[in-house]
Amino acid sequence: MNEALIHAAKAAYQKAYVPYSKFPVGAAILLKNGDIHTGANIENASFGLTICAERTCLSHAYSMGVKKEDIVAMAVATPQSHQVSPCGACRQFMRELVPLNTPIYLVSTKQTDEIKNDDLLPLGFDPDDL
Ligand code: THU
């Protein structure tokens, strides 16, 4: 477990734009070179346009030139005392953009759990299926 990564995911949720749900989420990825990229959920008055923290993080990182093979770990953090795990849309996004063997840390105020990216979306739809 990488403390800097966990810390970054927690710091990220403090930047969330969540006037409607008041449910901030932060995500962070750790790269091989030690760099960390973060993202938070960004909501909209047209609720369906909301972007989750995980997808903000990965879209921003890829836009900065990050490649899938650069990513060695990912963390998703909330200020909740119970475990929160990525929604279905984010699991699909992560399946394609984060290596399948990557540890994903689910960070609550009480504990941090670890799950492998591949285990988040069994029988997921892959680019190879096209
Ligand atoms: N949310 C995330 O950012 N990531 C998830 O994986 C689950 C849900 C956000 C979306 C919305 O802004 C708020 O949490 C409540 O659903």
Side-chain angles (χ1 to χ4, degrees), residues 25-89:
V25 183
I29 54 171
L30 175 68
L31 308 186
K32 277 183 188 148
N33 68 3
D35 284 359
I36 289 174
H37 291 260
T38 63
N41 48 337
I42 307 296
E43 298 185 342
N44 192 274
S46 178
F47 298 157
L49 298 184
T50 291
I51 309 172
C52 292
E54 298 89 328
R55 282 177 287 143
T56 305
C57 174
L58 290 169
S59 297
H60 182 246
Y62 268 69
S63 303
M64 299 291 284
V66 169
K67 301 273 182 284
K68 185 176 188 173
E69 58 271 19
D70 298 332
I71 302 172
V72 295
M74 182 168 187
V76 180
T78 69
Q80 310 297 318
S81 56
H82 62 279
Q83 186 201 75
V84 173
S85 69
C87 78

Side-chain angles (χ1 to χ4, degrees), residues 83-112:
Q83 186 201 75
V84 173
S85 69
C87 78
C90 288
R91 291 174 194 219
Q92 179 70 29
F93 217 72
M94 290 160 67
R95 187 166 182 88
E96 181 156 342
L97 300 181
V98 177
L100 292 177
N101 63 354
T102 304
I104 310 294
Y105 299 109
L106 306 176
V107 185
S108 74
T109 56
K110 293 244 170 79
Q111 67 195 74
T112 296

